[in-house]
Amino acid sequence: MSVIYKNTMNSIGKFVPQKFQPLWNHPAGPQTIFFWAPAFKWGLVIAGLGDLQRPASQISISQSTALGMTGLIWTRYSLAITPKNWSLFSVNLFVALTALYQVSRGIMYQREQTTLTATASAKEK
């Protein structure tokens, strides 16, 4: 870790109230990447929530599946590492849930289209 970063964190730490010192000094606290990586990953959750407005015909099932599986894998991993990183756990759980919901929307849309096509074919005969 760079000397500048350490000195900056030490300077900021002097202004952190006493009741927040346990969080500040936690092994997965704001002084570490274990805090900032999950904080920025919430952007994926926000993007996933924004995609809920996207028409089901535009959903990439393979991309959403990959994102959902990655979320599940990292959700499990966040509990296997030391220190347990509950922030990483929660963000990956939400990534997985939003992505897998999109997968279900895409699959339901494809099934509806298959049914409509089959119905239209049956009416033509």
Side-chain angles (χ1 to χ4, degrees):
M1 198 177 306
S2 78
V3 174
I4 296 170
Y5 183 77
K6 284 183 182 180
N7 290 338
T8 303
M9 289 296 109
N10 288 334
S11 297
I12 294 171
K14 295 174 186 174
F15 298 104
V16 174
Q18 189 62 34
K19 69 179 185 177
F20 293 120
Q21 284 296 323
L23 171 66
W24 181 256
N25 293 319
H26 190 272
Q31 297 183 64
T32 68
I33 191 67
F34 301 115
F35 176 84
W36 293 108
F40 283 101
K41 196 167 184 180
W42 280 104
L44 285 175
V45 175
I46 293 167
L49 292 174
D51 282 349
L52 295 178
Q53 302 301 317
R54 179 181 297 213
S57 61
Q58 296 179 352
I59 294 172
S60 170
I61 294 176
S62 59
Q63 179 180 349
S64 295
T65 300
L67 189 59
M69 292 298 111
T70 302
L72 290 175
I73 290 166
W74 283 100
T75 297
R76 170 65 180 107
Y77 175 76
S78 67
L79 298 178
I81 60 173
T82 303
K84 283 192 184 350
N85 194 334
W86 294 103
S87 177
L88 185 64
F89 171 83
S90 63
V91 73
N92 281 302
L93 181 63
F94 277 92
V95 165
L97 291 175
T98 55
L100 294 175
Y101 178 71
Q102 289 292 71
V103 169
S104 69
R105 284 184 62 219
I107 290 172
M108 288 190 310
Y109 173 78
Q110 286 184 350
R111 285 185 180 164
E112 289 172 7
Q113 293 305 306
T114 303
T115 303
L116 290 174
T117 304
T119 303
S121 296
K123 285 183 181 180
E124 291 177 2
K125 292 180 182 181

